[in-house]
Amino acid sequence: MIPSQIGSLVKLKELFLGRNGLSGEIPPQLGLLSHLEILHLPRNNLSGNIPPELGKLSNLTILSLEDNNLTGPLPVQLWNLTRLESLHVNMNSLSGEIPPGISRLVNLMTVSFDSNLFTGKVPVELGSMEKLRWPLLQWQANRFDQVLPSGMRREGRVWIALIRQGFRPDDVDDSE
């Protein structure tokens, strides 16, 4: 369990608690750590929703929450993290659609949403995110509509990465 008192460590810049067998929910008080640059909590047994308060961590560059038991939707407040370079929420049970606004993460280079319960379409704005590194764009093993949106740019690394993961353009007739 991560104690709620962690919010009093206001000068903390990096928090590495991966592979510690932690359980319980992620305390919303982590949102008080205004100097935090790295939040690394993978491979624990954390449960519940991702606290929207994490969207207040304006200096965060790495958010790593993969391989836990997190549920619920992605909070739209995460799109406030404009310094974020790496976002890993894979291997949880997160659900719902990816909220609009992901393109506000202008520094995002790696994103792993794979192995969750996400639904809906891949956001069209993803195609315009120039800094994304295609081998590190992981969206498979969800419940997404496998048809890429018609407005998505049809060239570049993001397009290729999604095609390689089984997505297809909206104008491909697969009924044959």
Side-chain angles (χ1 to χ4, degrees):
M1 181 173 173
I2 302 171
S4 60
Q5 294 86 347
I6 199 161
S8 65
L9 302 173
V10 293
K11 298 214 183 229
L12 191 67
K13 287 190 172 204
E14 299 177 354
L15 182 59
F16 290 89
L17 293 175
R19 297 179 191 230
N20 277 293
L22 297 170
S23 59
E25 296 188 0
I26 298 172
Q29 290 83 355
L30 283 174
L32 299 172
L33 303 178
S34 60
H35 294 282
L36 199 64
E37 296 172 6
I38 299 173
L39 180 55
H40 191 75
L41 304 175
R43 295 175 186 87
N44 283 296
N45 294 307
L46 297 170
S47 58
N49 293 344
I50 297 173
E53 290 83 357
L54 296 185
K56 296 177 183 175
L57 300 174
S58 60
N59 290 306
L60 205 65
T61 59
I62 297 173
L63 179 57
S64 179
L65 304 175
E66 75 265 16
D67 201 4
N68 279 290
N69 298 308
L70 300 172
T71 56
L74 267 180
V76 70
Q77 290 86 348
L78 292 182
W79 303 163
N80 294 332
L81 304 175
T82 56
R83 293 186 180 179
L84 202 64
E85 297 173 4
S86 183
L87 173 60
H88 298 279
V89 296
N90 50 307
M91 295 188 291
N92 281 291
S93 293
L94 297 170
S95 59
E97 295 188 9
I98 303 299
I102 191 171
S103 63
R104 290 176 38 206
L105 302 179
V106 294
N107 293 301
L108 196 63
M109 290 187 277
T110 65
V111 59
S112 296
F113 286 167
D114 57 299
S115 303
N116 278 292
L117 303 170
F118 291 123
T119 57
K121 290 190 176 284
V122 171
V124 67
E125 59 193 304
L126 195 66
S128 65
M129 297 178 72
E130 294 295 325
K131 290 190 178 181
L132 281 178
R133 297 181 184 159
W134 71 265
L136 303 174
L137 174 73
Q138 302 295 321
W139 287 64
Q140 68 272 23
N142 277 290
R143 297 177 180 169
F144 286 119
D145 180 346
Q146 292 299 112
V147 177
L148 294 172
S150 59
M152 183 176 270
R153 213 176 84 200
R154 291 180 176 246
E155 70 273 346
R157 298 176 293 200
V158 172
W159 180 261
I160 293 168
L162 292 170
I163 295 293
R164 287 183 177 171
Q165 292 176 53
F167 292 89
R168 64 185 188 283
D170 67 337
D171 57 358
V172 172
D173 183 5
D174 62 352
S175 62
E176 298 176 10

